[in-house]
Amino acid sequence: RLIEKLLDIPPENVNFETDYSNTEEPEEPDVLSLNITVMTQLLKKCCMSLQKSRFRQPLPISVKKTFMPSRKKPWNTQDFCGQPFLATSWAAAVVEVEVNTVTYEISVRDVNIAIECGELLDEKSAISAVKTESAKLLTSFVEPNSLNIIYPKVSFIQSGENPKEIGSIIESILPAAFSSAVSQAIGVPVTNLPLQTDSIFNLLAQKEMPDEN
């Protein structure tokens, strides 16, 4: 749709060739190698170059562009200030759980996630990515993987800023929201994941132990 907007080319005539032969994990974090902000800016630059050349050069036309983020506030290791990232995404998660104090099992009742994402290019794909990652994470919070899976309600806060990375942000907020919910339910801080029924039993037993002081 972005190419259609910039070059007036129907979406069905746009094809992306991707090399899937390399299955090795990148050395750098995905926020650097697969950042949607970088990819979108590169695509816009290429489209603008094609727009200028399409009526002057014979087909096929190839363009190559690089993207260097502006460093208005570069990271200062001495003062520990500045902006080390190309873009930052803000997100919040609320998890509601129920803890059975007889079987010491945990069930998830509700999950709500809100993400400030900048410009949202494909809301359907974005929601699907967040729900899939959330479901995968929820299964890892309890051993054995008996935690019931509830797909979250997802809300995006859009703005005129460039698209921001949202895929991996769930890995930072959902574990914290889950552990906080369990902590409030049993009245004891949960500091380690995954949990087992023995873990809940020991935490509750610790709560009921009299203070030696």
Side-chain angles (χ1 to χ4, degrees):
R1 290 199 296 267
L2 183 61
I3 293 175
E4 178 186 25
K5 178 181 178 181
L6 296 175
L7 297 179
D8 195 26
I9 297 176
E12 59 268 19
N13 292 343
V14 178
N15 179 50
F16 291 94
E17 295 184 0
T18 307
D19 182 12
Y20 292 102
S21 60
N22 185 10
T23 59
E24 296 182 1
E25 290 288 335
E27 295 182 358
E28 69 277 359
D30 59 354
V31 294
L32 299 178
S33 61
L34 302 176
N35 195 297
I36 191 173
T37 304
V38 175
M39 301 303 292
T40 306
Q41 294 306 307
L42 283 172
L43 182 60
K44 288 181 179 179
K45 284 193 169 190
C46 288
C47 286
M48 298 306 295
S49 294
L50 287 172
Q51 178 72 354
K52 295 177 181 178
S53 305
R54 63 193 300 192
F55 300 114
R56 301 178 185 176
Q57 300 179 21
L59 297 176
I61 303 173
S62 298
V63 295
K64 184 177 181 180
K65 292 293 179 181
T66 58
F67 177 74
M68 293 295 295
S70 60
R71 293 294 184 182
K72 296 180 180 179
K73 296 181 179 179
W75 182 252
N76 188 318
T77 56
Q78 299 288 335
D79 300 331
F80 205 71
C81 64
Q83 176 56 272
F85 307 108
L86 180 64
T88 53
S89 304
W90 297 96
V94 177
V95 177
E96 183 180 353
V97 301
E98 181 177 344
V99 180
N100 190 320
T101 55
V102 176
T103 63
Y104 305 107
E105 294 178 339
I106 303 173
S107 59
V108 178
R109 301 185 61 179
D110 196 19
V111 180
N112 290 270
I113 296 174
I115 303 175
E116 191 273 309
C117 59
E119 180 185 2
L120 190 61
L121 300 176
D122 188 340
E123 184 173 6
K124 184 177 180 180
S125 296
I127 290 177
S128 177
V130 172
K131 287 185 175 182
T132 300
E133 183 64 22
S134 299
K136 183 174 71 174
L137 280 174
L138 283 170
T139 60
S140 67
F141 292 160
V142 174
E143 290 185 348
N145 298 335
S146 59
L147 195 65
N148 57 311
I149 301 304
I150 292 183
Y151 289 101
K153 303 178 183 69
V154 183
S155 300
F156 291 107
I157 304 172
Q158 301 187 50
S159 68
E161 297 184 37
N162 291 323
K164 299 180 179 181
E165 189 73 24
I166 62 174
S168 57
I169 197 171
I170 305 302
E171 299 174 4
S172 300
I173 63 171
L174 198 55
F178 175 79
S179 59
S180 295
V182 177
S183 298
Q184 293 185 33
I186 64 177
V188 182
V190 173
T191 57
N192 293 298
L193 293 176
L195 292 171
Q196 299 176 340
T197 53
D198 289 349
S199 304
I200 300 299
F201 174 81
N202 292 332
L203 287 171
L204 289 173
Q206 175 186 350
K207 175 184 176 182
E208 294 174 0
M209 289 178 60
D211 191 350
E212 295 181 357
N213 295 327

